[in-house]
């Protein structure tokens, strides 16, 4: 199975059933750490919206959820600089904060966010990412939890886009050279 977007081909890579399973396993681990901490989850848009929604459904403890928006990709090309497009406008001082990312690739986005957030004096910060590309990752220590480790391929689906498309797909697809 494959999808074609703007003349580029992506083949089926991770099916939704597996995604559901790894997110459940992740939620169990996170709940152990967070259940009595009244955490503030900060979801990094756009890519993490689907992952965050499915992950949060497993939690029944008291928590708050907020959203920020970053951008660092154009098509399949990485840009060095990460822009904050929609920033955080709430107090996190003294709180347990959990950053929810779609994918950690170079780790630049997460690193930038951690620097910004640490200045706001939270009690502690955890990070959780849906996909983790450890091969490309320069800031290894920053990732506390991940649902799936993947090789250094460009992927789309389940919230992740290619040129703004494919976020709606329930499975994950990866780019194939033709
Ligand atoms: P980093 O700053 O870790 O290099 O990249 C983080 C951001 O780049 C992610 O939040 C995501 O938006 C984008 N990104 C990185 N790898 C991929 C990928 O394989 N597919 C898609 N669609 N986006 C990616």
């Amino acid at each position: 199975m494959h999808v074609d977007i703007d003349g580029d081909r992506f083949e089926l890579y991770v099916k939704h059933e597996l995604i559901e399973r790894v997110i459940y396993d992740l939620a169990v681990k996170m709940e152990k750490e967070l259940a009595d901490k009244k955490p503030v989850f900060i979801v990094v848009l756009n890519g993490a919206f689907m992952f965050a929604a499915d992950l949060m459904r497993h939690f029944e403890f008291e928590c708050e959820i907020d959203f920020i928006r970053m951008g660092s990709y154009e098509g399949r090309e990485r840009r060095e600089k990460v822009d904050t497009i929609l920033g955080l406008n709430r107090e996190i001082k003294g709180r347990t904060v959990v950053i929810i990312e779609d994918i950690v690739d170079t780790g630049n986005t997460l690193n930038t966010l951690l620097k910004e957030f640490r200045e706001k004096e939270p009690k502690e910060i955890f990070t959780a990412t849906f996909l983790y590309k450890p091969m490309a990752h320069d800031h290894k220590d920053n990732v506390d939890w991940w649902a799936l480790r993947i090789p250094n391929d460009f992927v789309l689906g389940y919230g992740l886009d290619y040129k703004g498309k494919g976020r709606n797909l329930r499975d994950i697809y990866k780019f194939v050279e033709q």
Side-chain angles (χ1 to χ4, degrees), residues 6-155:
D6 289 354
D8 286 319
R9 176 148 297 190
F10 295 83
E11 67 185 22
L12 184 60
Y13 187 38
V14 186
K15 290 197 72 167
H16 191 73
E17 292 73 25
L18 179 61
I19 295 175
E20 279 179 345
R21 197 147 22 100
V22 293
I23 290 181
Y24 174 76
D25 292 344
L26 174 65
V28 170
K29 281 187 217 155
M30 290 176 70
E31 186 168 9
K32 276 194 193 125
E33 179 70 45
L34 301 168
D36 52 0
K37 294 186 166 175
K38 300 185 171 63
V40 181
F41 291 102
I42 297 173
V43 180
V44 184
L45 296 174
N46 294 335
F49 82 96
M50 211 178 268
F51 167 54
D54 285 346
L55 179 69
M56 298 302 157
R57 270 185 260 257
H58 292 292
F59 298 146
E60 288 182 354
F61 53 81
E62 186 182 322
C63 64
E64 289 161 63
I65 305 173
D66 224 311
F67 301 88
I68 58 168
R69 188 170 170 201
M70 311 285 288
S72 71
Y73 254 76
E74 280 168 13
R76 284 181 291 113
E77 296 303 311
R78 256 183 231 127
R79 283 191 291 130
E80 282 301 302
K81 203 175 152 312
V82 180
D83 304 318
T84 308
I85 298 158
L86 172 71
L88 188 68
N89 52 12
R90 57 156 297 145
E91 183 70 49
I92 54 169
K93 190 170 178 175
R95 301 292 302 268
T96 294
V97 170
V98 188
I99 300 174
I100 307 287
E101 269 262 39
D102 53 354
I103 183 165
V104 173
D105 180 11
T106 62
N108 286 338
T109 307
L110 199 54
N111 202 37
T112 306
L113 280 175
L114 283 168
K115 271 193 207 142
E116 263 178 46
F117 286 5
R118 280 187 187 124
E119 286 170 14
K120 297 175 191 284
E121 299 176 54
K123 182 172 168 215
E124 55 187 344
I125 309 185
F126 294 100
T127 61
T129 182
F130 172 49
L131 299 176
Y132 181 34
K133 289 182 182 171
M135 300 280 283
H137 189 22
D138 302 327
H139 308 280
K140 288 202 167 40
D141 299 342
N142 291 340
V143 181
D144 294 302
W145 295 297
W146 62 87
L148 266 180
R149 284 160 71 106
I150 61 167
N152 199 12
D153 296 310
F154 185 87
V155 294

